[in-house]
Amino acid sequence: LEFRRVLFRSATTMFLLGISALWFGCSNAARDIVAETAIYRRERMVGLTVPAYVAAKVTILALLCSIQCGILLLVVGWLGSLQASWMFLYGAVLLAALVGVSIGLLVSAAARTGEVAAGVLPLVILPMVI
């Protein structure tokens, strides 16, 4: 019975860590492209390619998410008792954050304004949580 409780707590903790990381990535990226539409169009006129632009966005957002995920794991590890490898946990949480970054960039590219992107974001993430 005690093993079941520990397993349930671990699964719940991992679920919440994954959702938090997904939200980090989405919220970091949701307004990026839509806020820079004028800059992007001007840069496209002088030869900026789409893969270079997306790679630059993903690189900066991945760095930001890696810091956020590290802080999240430190806080959760300090307050709770995580029983898995820290590198495994960090890799899983960072992967969820990077998925969130890609979802956020997709929402940002599809939205017309930053407010629309921020408003649509919960509607995109909520079905994944459920």
Side-chain angles (χ1 to χ4, degrees), residues 1-14 81-84:
L1 187 62
E2 182 62 29
F3 177 73
R4 285 179 138 174
R5 283 189 199 142
V6 170
L7 187 63
F8 178 73
R9 277 190 245 138
S10 297
T12 303
T13 302
M14 280 304 298
S81 58
L82 296 177
Q83 298 177 352

Side-chain angles (χ1 to χ4, degrees), residues 99-121:
V99 169
V101 165
S102 61
I103 293 169
L105 288 174
L106 180 68
V107 167
S108 181
R112 293 200 182 266
T113 65
E115 292 78 24
V116 170
V120 168
L121 198 59

Side-chain angles (χ1 to χ4, degrees), residues 58-113:
V58 169
T59 302
I60 295 301
L61 291 169
L63 180 63
L64 178 63
C65 284
S66 67
I67 294 168
Q68 288 176 325
C69 289
I71 293 170
L72 176 68
L73 277 178
L74 284 175
V75 170
V76 171
W78 181 59
L79 294 175
S81 58
L82 296 177
Q83 298 177 352
S85 164
W86 283 89
M87 291 308 289
F88 171 75
L89 289 174
Y90 184 73
V93 170
L94 184 60
L95 188 61
L98 294 177
V99 169
V101 165
S102 61
I103 293 169
L105 288 174
L106 180 68
V107 167
S108 181
R112 293 200 182 266
T113 65

